[in-house]
Amino acid sequence: PDSLKPQCDLEFLQFNVTKSMLKKSRPVIGNSQRLHIFLKKLHSKQCTSVLFMGGSVTAGHNSRGRLNASFPKFFMDWLNERYPCENADRTRGSHLTKRTQQNNAQTHFVSWSQISQIETLD
């Protein structure tokens, strides 16, 4: 969508990134099994649930439009555009956003305990 277009001319940006720099930026990859399952769901047009954890920035504080201008909204718009999914009846579906109820730094740590209350995560 238009809302995801870059806000500057990318042709004027220059980055001299070497393979060595890229390798150093990801020293630990970890277990990627869940990521592979998630990607298979996207490629087979299954609807998914995405969890966003964070504080006030994730909730959209200090952004114009609050939740309508937060990065989870932009990510979900992109995900639904790039990887459309289908409901069980083969109609167009929508990937779902799951959030803990954090809104600031004080509630961020409490939000970890709320993950178990979310029905499904992909």
Side-chain angles (χ1 to χ4, degrees):
D2 288 338
S3 63
L4 298 178
K5 288 184 180 176
Q7 301 296 314
C8 64
D9 282 330
L10 296 179
E11 65 189 64
F12 295 111
L13 295 176
Q14 293 183 3
F15 299 99
N16 297 318
V17 179
T18 65
K19 285 186 179 184
S20 174
M21 292 166 77
L22 289 174
K23 286 180 183 178
K24 289 178 184 175
S25 71
R26 286 185 60 185
V28 178
I29 294 174
N31 184 344
S32 60
Q33 183 179 2
R34 287 188 70 159
L35 175 62
H36 290 286
I37 293 169
F38 181 76
L39 293 173
K40 282 181 183 179
K41 286 183 176 187
L42 292 178
H43 289 291
S44 63
K45 297 189 175 191
Q46 293 181 41
C47 294
T48 63
S49 299
V50 179
L51 172 67
F52 290 96
M53 286 195 68
S56 60
V57 174
T58 306
H61 289 270
N62 294 327
S63 64
R64 287 183 233 130
R66 298 216 38 173
L67 286 177
N68 290 328
S70 64
F71 77 85
K73 164 104 171 61
F74 291 128
F75 177 80
M76 295 307 292
D77 288 349
W78 172 82
L79 188 67
N80 282 304
E81 179 75 22
R82 176 69 176 87
Y83 297 99
C85 63
E86 296 177 349
N87 292 321
D89 62 359
R90 315 264 294 153
T91 59
R92 184 168 178 143
S94 180
H95 299 285
L96 300 176
T97 303
K98 304 287 183 171
R99 289 184 56 223
T100 54
Q101 299 303 312
Q102 78 287 349
N103 289 315
N104 56 46
Q106 291 81 16
T107 59
H108 176 73
F109 296 105
V110 175
S111 67
W112 282 98
S113 65
Q114 297 171 345
I115 292 175
S116 62
Q117 299 169 11
I118 297 174
E119 284 184 34
T120 60
L121 292 175
D122 290 314

